[in-house]
Amino acid sequence: MANEQLVESFIKLIESSLSEAFRSDLSQLHTEGDIRTYLADAFLDRERLKEKVDRLSELIHIGYMLSAEVRLKELLLLILDKSKRLMNADRSTIYLVDVDRLHLKSMIATQLEIKEIIIPIDSGIAGACAMTGELINIPEPYSDPRFDKNIDKLTGYVTRNMLTAPLRDKLRNVIGVMQVLNKSGGPFDEEDERLIRLLGSFASVSLENAMLYEAQETMLEKFFESLAAAIDAKDPYTAGHSARVTDISVGIAKEMGIEGEELRQLRFAGLLHDIGKIGVRDEVLRKPGRLTEHERMHIQEHAKQTYEILRRIPFTKSLEGIPHIAAHHHEKMSGKGYPDGLKWHEVPLGSRIISVADVFDAVTSKRPYRDPMPFEKAVDLIENGAGDEFDPEVVKAFKTYAYRELKGQMNAG
Ligand SMILES: [Fe+2]
């Protein structure tokens, strides 16, 4: 009797805290056991709901992170890491479709490392997903004929379950495949399928942007290389000068610990440092003999011209220093250089580096009126200029780089 009263009061209590829609459920509750089951289910539902909300918030957070990354490799690593966590998977793989070679190029993230493998586009589950554009959820891969056991053999991994989703661009073409393996606690379910589809759409938009960004970067680089070649072609005796100065500048900069965007900016400034020579008259530029004072001043104008040409290019923030760096490659630490007579740290670091590379390449190149200076003598010349003409820190880095990388090349050449 006491139990029946207890059940009744429980039901009343629950009834008062439930909305109308759920009250009809209560008519099914008659015993203490019914109530226990009902409460347990309700609790489980709450936990599941919480889990769903947590995963969706995580997904939104991932979406923000992906949209902020434009570098392709970094983006791939981010997607690999985040998809593995979000899907509770042991391993995640991104396959990118290489349309030209009909290959899938993959990046695999494990807890320890990133591996890269290339497979034919029609092979395995990833291939099937890339070909059909369908999501594929396989609870037992070894009993599925589409599964290519060789990939496991190749990577030394045992696949227990897998979920594979296509990555599509704006035109709905499959640009890649995202695959997660070995979910902790069993095969992937419908909830996981919904989640990976959403993650896949975020990843696709970001990947497409990163690929476009990379293509633009490559185009910019090739364009600057062509410009450099065009400048050098004005004077047959300086063929390849801009490219060599760029290589040496990058070598010195790396030696000094410069990297990333700063290194990229220096590289472009190196390629473009003499672009102002476009405005120098050919007969003056190619004159084999001694220059008159007027001609010398005309040639020196190229530094200012370099600035005037480059300042018109709307460089992005990380490259905005290019016009200044390129234009000041003839400045000297003493302040006796041109075009502005800047001293020491008034001269941008990039210009101080290019200036050393420029002089070294000029003296070691053959001219119609003189032979190239031997390697050791040229390094001595640079070293003697430290302090007055060149930045001693740059000279130090140059010497280390030159003896390691340039000596062998020049002696061989
Ligand atoms: Fe120059």
mmCIF file with all atom_site columns, all heavy atoms in Angstrom, residues 138-159:
data_model
loop_
_atom_site.group_PDB
_atom_site.id
_atom_site.type_symbol
_atom_site.label_atom_id
_atom_site.label_alt_id
_atom_site.label_comp_id
_atom_site.label_asym_id
_atom_site.label_entity_id
_atom_site.label_seq_id
_atom_site.pdbx_PDB_ins_code
_atom_site.Cartn_x
_atom_site.Cartn_y
_atom_site.Cartn_z
_atom_site.occupancy
_atom_site.B_iso_or_equiv
_atom_site.pdbx_formal_charge
_atom_site.auth_seq_id
_atom_site.auth_comp_id
_atom_site.auth_asym_id
_atom_site.auth_atom_id
_atom_site.pdbx_PDB_model_num
ATOM 1   N N   . ILE A 1 138 ? 30.914 1.770  -43.166 1.00 0.00 ? 138 ILE A N   1
ATOM 2   C CA  . ILE A 1 138 ? 31.160 0.319  -43.162 1.00 0.00 ? 138 ILE A CA  1
ATOM 3   C C   . ILE A 1 138 ? 31.521 -0.155 -41.760 1.00 0.00 ? 138 ILE A C   1
ATOM 4   O O   . ILE A 1 138 ? 32.596 0.166  -41.236 1.00 0.00 ? 138 ILE A O   1
ATOM 5   C CB  . ILE A 1 138 ? 32.293 -0.046 -44.146 1.00 0.00 ? 138 ILE A CB  1
ATOM 6   C CG1 . ILE A 1 138 ? 31.879 0.392  -45.550 1.00 0.00 ? 138 ILE A CG1 1
ATOM 7   C CG2 . ILE A 1 138 ? 32.560 -1.541 -44.134 1.00 0.00 ? 138 ILE A CG2 1
ATOM 8   C CD1 . ILE A 1 138 ? 32.887 0.087  -46.606 1.00 0.00 ? 138 ILE A CD1 1
ATOM 9   N N   . PRO A 1 139 ? 30.613 -0.908 -41.136 1.00 0.00 ? 139 PRO A N   1
ATOM 10  C CA  . PRO A 1 139 ? 30.888 -1.379 -39.776 1.00 0.00 ? 139 PRO A CA  1
ATOM 11  C C   . PRO A 1 139 ? 31.967 -2.470 -39.733 1.00 0.00 ? 139 PRO A C   1
ATOM 12  O O   . PRO A 1 139 ? 32.701 -2.582 -38.762 1.00 0.00 ? 139 PRO A O   1
ATOM 13  C CB  . PRO A 1 139 ? 29.551 -1.937 -39.281 1.00 0.00 ? 139 PRO A CB  1
ATOM 14  C CG  . PRO A 1 139 ? 28.572 -1.771 -40.392 1.00 0.00 ? 139 PRO A CG  1
ATOM 15  C CD  . PRO A 1 139 ? 29.278 -1.307 -41.606 1.00 0.00 ? 139 PRO A CD  1
ATOM 16  N N   . GLU A 1 140 ? 32.043 -3.309 -40.828 1.00 0.00 ? 140 GLU A N   1
ATOM 17  C CA  . GLU A 1 140 ? 33.053 -4.377 -40.844 1.00 0.00 ? 140 GLU A CA  1
ATOM 18  C C   . GLU A 1 140 ? 33.785 -4.402 -42.189 1.00 0.00 ? 140 GLU A C   1
ATOM 19  O O   . GLU A 1 140 ? 33.422 -5.147 -43.094 1.00 0.00 ? 140 GLU A O   1
ATOM 20  C CB  . GLU A 1 140 ? 32.382 -5.739 -40.610 1.00 0.00 ? 140 GLU A CB  1
ATOM 21  C CG  . GLU A 1 140 ? 31.945 -5.943 -39.180 1.00 0.00 ? 140 GLU A CG  1
ATOM 22  C CD  . GLU A 1 140 ? 31.224 -7.268 -39.007 1.00 0.00 ? 140 GLU A CD  1
ATOM 23  O OE1 . GLU A 1 140 ? 31.475 -8.200 -39.806 1.00 0.00 ? 140 GLU A OE1 1
ATOM 24  O OE2 . GLU A 1 140 ? 30.411 -7.337 -38.086 1.00 0.00 ? 140 GLU A OE2 1
ATOM 25  N N   . PRO A 1 141 ? 34.824 -3.626 -42.336 1.00 0.00 ? 141 PRO A N   1
ATOM 26  C CA  . PRO A 1 141 ? 35.489 -3.491 -43.633 1.00 0.00 ? 141 PRO A CA  1
ATOM 27  C C   . PRO A 1 141 ? 36.011 -4.808 -44.219 1.00 0.00 ? 141 PRO A C   1
ATOM 28  O O   . PRO A 1 141 ? 35.949 -5.013 -45.430 1.00 0.00 ? 141 PRO A O   1
ATOM 29  C CB  . PRO A 1 141 ? 36.650 -2.549 -43.343 1.00 0.00 ? 141 PRO A CB  1
ATOM 30  C CG  . PRO A 1 141 ? 36.294 -1.863 -42.088 1.00 0.00 ? 141 PRO A CG  1
ATOM 31  C CD  . PRO A 1 141 ? 35.437 -2.786 -41.311 1.00 0.00 ? 141 PRO A CD  1
ATOM 32  N N   . TYR A 1 142 ? 36.509 -5.707 -43.362 1.00 0.00 ? 142 TYR A N   1
ATOM 33  C CA  . TYR A 1 142 ? 37.121 -6.936 -43.903 1.00 0.00 ? 142 TYR A CA  1
ATOM 34  C C   . TYR A 1 142 ? 36.107 -7.858 -44.564 1.00 0.00 ? 142 TYR A C   1
ATOM 35  O O   . TYR A 1 142 ? 36.471 -8.757 -45.308 1.00 0.00 ? 142 TYR A O   1
ATOM 36  C CB  . TYR A 1 142 ? 37.939 -7.660 -42.825 1.00 0.00 ? 142 TYR A CB  1
ATOM 37  C CG  . TYR A 1 142 ? 39.330 -7.071 -42.709 1.00 0.00 ? 142 TYR A CG  1
ATOM 38  C CD1 . TYR A 1 142 ? 39.554 -5.884 -42.020 1.00 0.00 ? 142 TYR A CD1 1
ATOM 39  C CD2 . TYR A 1 142 ? 40.419 -7.667 -43.355 1.00 0.00 ? 142 TYR A CD2 1
ATOM 40  C CE1 . TYR A 1 142 ? 40.809 -5.315 -41.948 1.00 0.00 ? 142 TYR A CE1 1
ATOM 41  C CE2 . TYR A 1 142 ? 41.688 -7.102 -43.283 1.00 0.00 ? 142 TYR A CE2 1
ATOM 42  C CZ  . TYR A 1 142 ? 41.876 -5.925 -42.579 1.00 0.00 ? 142 TYR A CZ  1
ATOM 43  O OH  . TYR A 1 142 ? 43.138 -5.366 -42.532 1.00 0.00 ? 142 TYR A OH  1
ATOM 44  N N   . SER A 1 143 ? 34.784 -7.648 -44.286 1.00 0.00 ? 143 SER A N   1
ATOM 45  C CA  . SER A 1 143 ? 33.816 -8.475 -45.001 1.00 0.00 ? 143 SER A CA  1
ATOM 46  C C   . SER A 1 143 ? 33.141 -7.672 -46.120 1.00 0.00 ? 143 SER A C   1
ATOM 47  O O   . SER A 1 143 ? 32.143 -8.101 -46.676 1.00 0.00 ? 143 SER A O   1
ATOM 48  C CB  . SER A 1 143 ? 32.780 -9.057 -44.023 1.00 0.00 ? 143 SER A CB  1
ATOM 49  O OG  . SER A 1 143 ? 32.307 -8.058 -43.167 1.00 0.00 ? 143 SER A OG  1
ATOM 50  N N   . ASP A 1 144 ? 33.706 -6.521 -46.432 1.00 0.00 ? 144 ASP A N   1
ATOM 51  C CA  . ASP A 1 144 ? 33.143 -5.726 -47.545 1.00 0.00 ? 144 ASP A CA  1
ATOM 52  C C   . ASP A 1 144 ? 34.075 -5.836 -48.752 1.00 0.00 ? 144 ASP A C   1
ATOM 53  O O   . ASP A 1 144 ? 35.264 -5.522 -48.645 1.00 0.00 ? 144 ASP A O   1
ATOM 54  C CB  . ASP A 1 144 ? 33.019 -4.262 -47.104 1.00 0.00 ? 144 ASP A CB  1
ATOM 55  C CG  . ASP A 1 144 ? 32.199 -3.434 -48.078 1.00 0.00 ? 144 ASP A CG  1
ATOM 56  O OD1 . ASP A 1 144 ? 32.581 -3.353 -49.268 1.00 0.00 ? 144 ASP A OD1 1
ATOM 57  O OD2 . ASP A 1 144 ? 31.174 -2.879 -47.659 1.00 0.00 ? 144 ASP A OD2 1
ATOM 58  N N   . PRO A 1 145 ? 33.544 -6.303 -49.908 1.00 0.00 ? 145 PRO A N   1
ATOM 59  C CA  . PRO A 1 145 ? 34.417 -6.515 -51.075 1.00 0.00 ? 145 PRO A CA  1
ATOM 60  C C   . PRO A 1 145 ? 35.089 -5.243 -51.594 1.00 0.00 ? 145 PRO A C   1
ATOM 61  O O   . PRO A 1 145 ? 36.120 -5.311 -52.257 1.00 0.00 ? 145 PRO A O   1
ATOM 62  C CB  . PRO A 1 145 ? 33.458 -7.078 -52.137 1.00 0.00 ? 145 PRO A CB  1
ATOM 63  C CG  . PRO A 1 145 ? 32.084 -6.719 -51.664 1.00 0.00 ? 145 PRO A CG  1
ATOM 64  C CD  . PRO A 1 145 ? 32.144 -6.638 -50.177 1.00 0.00 ? 145 PRO A CD  1
ATOM 65  N N   . ARG A 1 146 ? 34.514 -4.060 -51.299 1.00 0.00 ? 146 ARG A N   1
ATOM 66  C CA  . ARG A 1 146 ? 35.102 -2.816 -51.809 1.00 0.00 ? 146 ARG A CA  1
ATOM 67  C C   . ARG A 1 146 ? 36.364 -2.424 -51.036 1.00 0.00 ? 146 ARG A C   1
ATOM 68  O O   . ARG A 1 146 ? 37.154 -1.611 -51.484 1.00 0.00 ? 146 ARG A O   1
ATOM 69  C CB  . ARG A 1 146 ? 34.088 -1.662 -51.686 1.00 0.00 ? 146 ARG A CB  1
ATOM 70  C CG  . ARG A 1 146 ? 32.920 -1.768 -52.633 1.00 0.00 ? 146 ARG A CG  1
ATOM 71  C CD  . ARG A 1 146 ? 31.855 -0.746 -52.274 1.00 0.00 ? 146 ARG A CD  1
ATOM 72  N NE  . ARG A 1 146 ? 31.342 -0.957 -50.914 1.00 0.00 ? 146 ARG A NE  1
ATOM 73  C CZ  . ARG A 1 146 ? 30.422 -0.201 -50.328 1.00 0.00 ? 146 ARG A CZ  1
ATOM 74  N NH1 . ARG A 1 146 ? 29.913 0.825  -50.982 1.00 0.00 ? 146 ARG A NH1 1
ATOM 75  N NH2 . ARG A 1 146 ? 30.003 -0.454 -49.102 1.00 0.00 ? 146 ARG A NH2 1
ATOM 76  N N   . PHE A 1 147 ? 36.516 -3.005 -49.843 1.00 0.00 ? 147 PHE A N   1
ATOM 77  C CA  . PHE A 1 147 ? 37.644 -2.617 -48.988 1.00 0.00 ? 147 PHE A CA  1
ATOM 78  C C   . PHE A 1 147 ? 38.959 -3.184 -49.523 1.00 0.00 ? 147 PHE A C   1
ATOM 79  O O   . PHE A 1 147 ? 39.058 -4.374 -49.820 1.00 0.00 ? 147 PHE A O   1
ATOM 80  C CB  . PHE A 1 147 ? 37.390 -3.107 -47.557 1.00 0.00 ? 147 PHE A CB  1
ATOM 81  C CG  . PHE A 1 147 ? 38.511 -2.749 -46.605 1.00 0.00 ? 147 PHE A CG  1
ATOM 82  C CD1 . PHE A 1 147 ? 38.811 -1.428 -46.326 1.00 0.00 ? 147 PHE A CD1 1
ATOM 83  C CD2 . PHE A 1 147 ? 39.261 -3.750 -45.987 1.00 0.00 ? 147 PHE A CD2 1
ATOM 84  C CE1 . PHE A 1 147 ? 39.840 -1.102 -45.450 1.00 0.00 ? 147 PHE A CE1 1
ATOM 85  C CE2 . PHE A 1 147 ? 40.288 -3.431 -45.110 1.00 0.00 ? 147 PHE A CE2 1
ATOM 86  C CZ  . PHE A 1 147 ? 40.578 -2.103 -44.841 1.00 0.00 ? 147 PHE A CZ  1
ATOM 87  N N   . ASP A 1 148 ? 39.951 -2.328 -49.659 1.00 0.00 ? 148 ASP A N   1
ATOM 88  C CA  . ASP A 1 148 ? 41.257 -2.756 -50.161 1.00 0.00 ? 148 ASP A CA  1
ATOM 89  C C   . ASP A 1 148 ? 42.188 -3.018 -48.967 1.00 0.00 ? 148 ASP A C   1
ATOM 90  O O   . ASP A 1 148 ? 42.695 -2.087 -48.348 1.00 0.00 ? 148 ASP A O   1
ATOM 91  C CB  . ASP A 1 148 ? 41.830 -1.646 -51.064 1.00 0.00 ? 148 ASP A CB  1
ATOM 92  C CG  . ASP A 1 148 ? 43.193 -2.006 -51.640 1.00 0.00 ? 148 ASP A CG  1
ATOM 93  O OD1 . ASP A 1 148 ? 43.697 -3.118 -51.335 1.00 0.00 ? 148 ASP A OD1 1
ATOM 94  O OD2 . ASP A 1 148 ? 43.753 -1.180 -52.383 1.00 0.00 ? 148 ASP A OD2 1
ATOM 95  N N   . LYS A 1 149 ? 42.383 -4.333 -48.702 1.00 0.00 ? 149 LYS A N   1
ATOM 96  C CA  . LYS A 1 149 ? 43.188 -4.692 -47.513 1.00 0.00 ? 149 LYS A CA  1
ATOM 97  C C   . LYS A 1 149 ? 44.649 -4.275 -47.669 1.00 0.00 ? 149 LYS A C   1
ATOM 98  O O   . LYS A 1 149 ? 45.381 -4.165 -46.684 1.00 0.00 ? 149 LYS A O   1
ATOM 99  C CB  . LYS A 1 149 ? 43.113 -6.206 -47.277 1.00 0.00 ? 149 LYS A CB  1
ATOM 100 C CG  . LYS A 1 149 ? 41.702 -6.697 -47.015 1.00 0.00 ? 149 LYS A CG  1
ATOM 101 C CD  . LYS A 1 149 ? 41.683 -8.218 -46.819 1.00 0.00 ? 149 LYS A CD  1
ATOM 102 C CE  . LYS A 1 149 ? 40.266 -8.749 -46.736 1.00 0.00 ? 149 LYS A CE  1
ATOM 103 N NZ  . LYS A 1 149 ? 39.641 -8.995 -48.054 1.00 0.00 ? 149 LYS A NZ  1
ATOM 104 N N   . ASN A 1 150 ? 45.058 -4.005 -48.915 1.00 0.00 ? 150 ASN A N   1
ATOM 105 C CA  . ASN A 1 150 ? 46.462 -3.633 -49.149 1.00 0.00 ? 150 ASN A CA  1
ATOM 106 C C   . ASN A 1 150 ? 46.854 -2.344 -48.446 1.00 0.00 ? 150 ASN A C   1
ATOM 107 O O   . ASN A 1 150 ? 48.013 -2.161 -48.080 1.00 0.00 ? 150 ASN A O   1
ATOM 108 C CB  . ASN A 1 150 ? 46.713 -3.453 -50.659 1.00 0.00 ? 150 ASN A CB  1
ATOM 109 C CG  . ASN A 1 150 ? 46.767 -4.808 -51.328 1.00 0.00 ? 150 ASN A CG  1
ATOM 110 O OD1 . ASN A 1 150 ? 47.220 -5.789 -50.726 1.00 0.00 ? 150 ASN A OD1 1
ATOM 111 N ND2 . ASN A 1 150 ? 46.258 -4.875 -52.545 1.00 0.00 ? 150 ASN A ND2 1
ATOM 112 N N   . ILE A 1 151 ? 45.869 -1.445 -48.298 1.00 0.00 ? 151 ILE A N   1
ATOM 113 C CA  . ILE A 1 151 ? 46.192 -0.166 -47.641 1.00 0.00 ? 151 ILE A CA  1
ATOM 114 C C   . ILE A 1 151 ? 46.583 -0.428 -46.187 1.00 0.00 ? 151 ILE A C   1
ATOM 115 O O   . ILE A 1 151 ? 47.541 0.144  -45.675 1.00 0.00 ? 151 ILE A O   1
ATOM 116 C CB  . ILE A 1 151 ? 45.019 0.833  -47.762 1.00 0.00 ? 151 ILE A CB  1
ATOM 117 C CG1 . ILE A 1 151 ? 44.827 1.182  -49.233 1.00 0.00 ? 151 ILE A CG1 1
ATOM 118 C CG2 . ILE A 1 151 ? 45.302 2.098  -46.942 1.00 0.00 ? 151 ILE A CG2 1
ATOM 119 C CD1 . ILE A 1 151 ? 43.764 2.184  -49.527 1.00 0.00 ? 151 ILE A CD1 1
ATOM 120 N N   . ASP A 1 152 ? 45.835 -1.329 -45.531 1.00 0.00 ? 152 ASP A N   1
ATOM 121 C CA  . ASP A 1 152 ? 46.201 -1.707 -44.161 1.00 0.00 ? 152 ASP A CA  1
ATOM 122 C C   . ASP A 1 152 ? 47.589 -2.334 -44.147 1.00 0.00 ? 152 ASP A C   1
ATOM 123 O O   . ASP A 1 152 ? 48.421 -2.036 -43.300 1.00 0.00 ? 152 ASP A O   1
ATOM 124 C CB  . ASP A 1 152 ? 45.188 -2.713 -43.583 1.00 0.00 ? 152 ASP A CB  1
ATOM 125 C CG  . ASP A 1 152 ? 44.058 -1.984 -42.849 1.00 0.00 ? 152 ASP A CG  1
ATOM 126 O OD1 . ASP A 1 152 ? 44.018 -0.741 -42.961 1.00 0.00 ? 152 ASP A OD1 1
ATOM 127 O OD2 . ASP A 1 152 ? 43.252 -2.641 -42.170 1.00 0.00 ? 152 ASP A OD2 1
ATOM 128 N N   . LYS A 1 153 ? 47.832 -3.220 -45.130 1.00 0.00 ? 153 LYS A N   1
ATOM 129 C CA  . LYS A 1 153 ? 49.140 -3.892 -45.209 1.00 0.00 ? 153 LYS A CA  1
ATOM 130 C C   . LYS A 1 153 ? 50.250 -2.860 -45.365 1.00 0.00 ? 153 LYS A C   1
ATOM 131 O O   . LYS A 1 153 ? 51.296 -2.931 -44.725 1.00 0.00 ? 153 LYS A O   1
ATOM 132 C CB  . LYS A 1 153 ? 49.164 -4.844 -46.421 1.00 0.00 ? 153 LYS A CB  1
ATOM 133 C CG  . LYS A 1 153 ? 48.857 -6.288 -46.026 1.00 0.00 ? 153 LYS A CG  1
ATOM 134 C CD  . LYS A 1 153 ? 49.134 -7.191 -47.202 1.00 0.00 ? 153 LYS A CD  1
ATOM 135 C CE  . LYS A 1 153 ? 48.161 -8.363 -47.174 1.00 0.00 ? 153 LYS A CE  1
ATOM 136 N NZ  . LYS A 1 153 ? 47.955 -8.923 -48.500 1.00 0.00 ? 153 LYS A NZ  1
ATOM 137 N N   . LEU A 1 154 ? 49.979 -1.884 -46.233 1.00 0.00 ? 154 LEU A N   1
ATOM 138 C CA  . LEU A 1 154 ? 50.962 -0.844 -46.540 1.00 0.00 ? 154 LEU A CA  1
ATOM 139 C C   . LEU A 1 154 ? 51.273 0.016  -45.324 1.00 0.00 ? 154 LEU A C   1
ATOM 140 O O   . LEU A 1 154 ? 52.407 0.427  -45.101 1.00 0.00 ? 154 LEU A O   1
ATOM 141 C CB  . LEU A 1 154 ? 50.383 0.052  -47.646 1.00 0.00 ? 154 LEU A CB  1
ATOM 142 C CG  . LEU A 1 154 ? 51.342 0.700  -48.625 1.00 0.00 ? 154 LEU A CG  1
ATOM 143 C CD1 . LEU A 1 154 ? 51.981 -0.343 -49.513 1.00 0.00 ? 154 LEU A CD1 1
ATOM 144 C CD2 . LEU A 1 154 ? 50.596 1.712  -49.476 1.00 0.00 ? 154 LEU A CD2 1
ATOM 145 N N   . THR A 1 155 ? 50.230 0.296  -44.536 1.00 0.00 ? 155 THR A N   1
ATOM 146 C CA  . THR A 1 155 ? 50.423 1.214  -43.406 1.00 0.00 ? 155 THR A CA  1
ATOM 147 C C   . THR A 1 155 ? 50.582 0.466  -42.083 1.00 0.00 ? 155 THR A C   1
ATOM 148 O O   . THR A 1 155 ? 50.835 1.070  -41.048 1.00 0.00 ? 155 THR A O   1
ATOM 149 C CB  . THR A 1 155 ? 49.231 2.187  -43.283 1.00 0.00 ? 155 THR A CB  1
ATOM 150 O OG1 . THR A 1 155 ? 48.032 1.416  -43.181 1.00 0.00 ? 155 THR A OG1 1
ATOM 151 C CG2 . THR A 1 155 ? 49.126 3.095  -44.476 1.00 0.00 ? 155 THR A CG2 1
ATOM 152 N N   . GLY A 1 156 ? 50.403 -0.871 -42.108 1.00 0.00 ? 156 GLY A N   1
ATOM 153 C CA  . GLY A 1 156 ? 50.535 -1.664 -40.888 1.00 0.00 ? 156 GLY A CA  1
ATOM 154 C C   . GLY A 1 156 ? 49.428 -1.368 -39.891 1.00 0.00 ? 156 GLY A C   1
ATOM 155 O O   . GLY A 1 156 ? 49.645 -1.335 -38.680 1.00 0.00 ? 156 GLY A O   1
ATOM 156 N N   . TYR A 1 157 ? 48.230 -1.152 -40.403 1.00 0.00 ? 157 TYR A N   1
ATOM 157 C CA  . TYR A 1 157 ? 47.117 -0.747 -39.539 1.00 0.00 ? 157 TYR A CA  1
ATOM 158 C C   . TYR A 1 157 ? 45.958 -1.735 -39.698 1.00 0.00 ? 157 TYR A C   1
ATOM 159 O O   . TYR A 1 157 ? 45.794 -2.325 -40.758 1.00 0.00 ? 157 TYR A O   1
ATOM 160 C CB  . TYR A 1 157 ? 46.668 0.653  -39.979 1.00 0.00 ? 157 TYR A CB  1
ATOM 161 C CG  . TYR A 1 157 ? 45.684 1.309  -39.059 1.00 0.00 ? 157 TYR A CG  1
ATOM 162 C CD1 . TYR A 1 157 ? 46.074 1.803  -37.831 1.00 0.00 ? 157 TYR A CD1 1
ATOM 163 C CD2 . TYR A 1 157 ? 44.352 1.456  -39.440 1.00 0.00 ? 157 TYR A CD2 1
ATOM 164 C CE1 . TYR A 1 157 ? 45.181 2.425  -36.996 1.00 0.00 ? 157 TYR A CE1 1
ATOM 165 C CE2 . TYR A 1 157 ? 43.440 2.089  -38.612 1.00 0.00 ? 157 TYR A CE2 1
ATOM 166 C CZ  . TYR A 1 157 ? 43.859 2.572  -37.397 1.00 0.00 ? 157 TYR A CZ  1
ATOM 167 O OH  . TYR A 1 157 ? 42.969 3.192  -36.570 1.00 0.00 ? 157 TYR A OH  1
ATOM 168 N N   . VAL A 1 158 ? 45.162 -1.943 -38.624 1.00 0.00 ? 158 VAL A N   1
ATOM 169 C CA  . VAL A 1 158 ? 43.997 -2.834 -38.762 1.00 0.00 ? 158 VAL A CA  1
ATOM 170 C C   . VAL A 1 158 ? 42.715 -2.007 -38.665 1.00 0.00 ? 158 VAL A C   1
ATOM 171 O O   . VAL A 1 158 ? 42.417 -1.406 -37.635 1.00 0.00 ? 158 VAL A O   1
ATOM 172 C CB  . VAL A 1 158 ? 43.990 -3.934 -37.671 1.00 0.00 ? 158 VAL A CB  1
ATOM 173 C CG1 . VAL A 1 158 ? 42.780 -4.844 -37.852 1.00 0.00 ? 158 VAL A CG1 1
ATOM 174 C CG2 . VAL A 1 158 ? 45.289 -4.723 -37.708 1.00 0.00 ? 158 VAL A CG2 1
ATOM 175 N N   . THR A 1 159 ? 41.977 -1.962 -39.776 1.00 0.00 ? 159 THR A N   1
ATOM 176 C CA  . THR A 1 159 ? 40.747 -1.168 -39.808 1.00 0.00 ? 159 THR A CA  1
ATOM 177 C C   . THR A 1 159 ? 39.575 -2.000 -39.278 1.00 0.00 ? 159 THR A C   1
ATOM 178 O O   . THR A 1 159 ? 39.270 -3.059 -39.818 1.00 0.00 ? 159 THR A O   1
ATOM 179 C CB  . THR A 1 159 ? 40.454 -0.725 -41.258 1.00 0.00 ? 159 THR A CB  1
ATOM 180 O OG1 . THR A 1 159 ? 41.631 -0.106 -41.786 1.00 0.00 ? 159 THR A OG1 1
ATOM 181 C CG2 . THR A 1 159 ? 39.303 0.238  -41.318 1.00 0.00 ? 159 THR A CG2 1
#
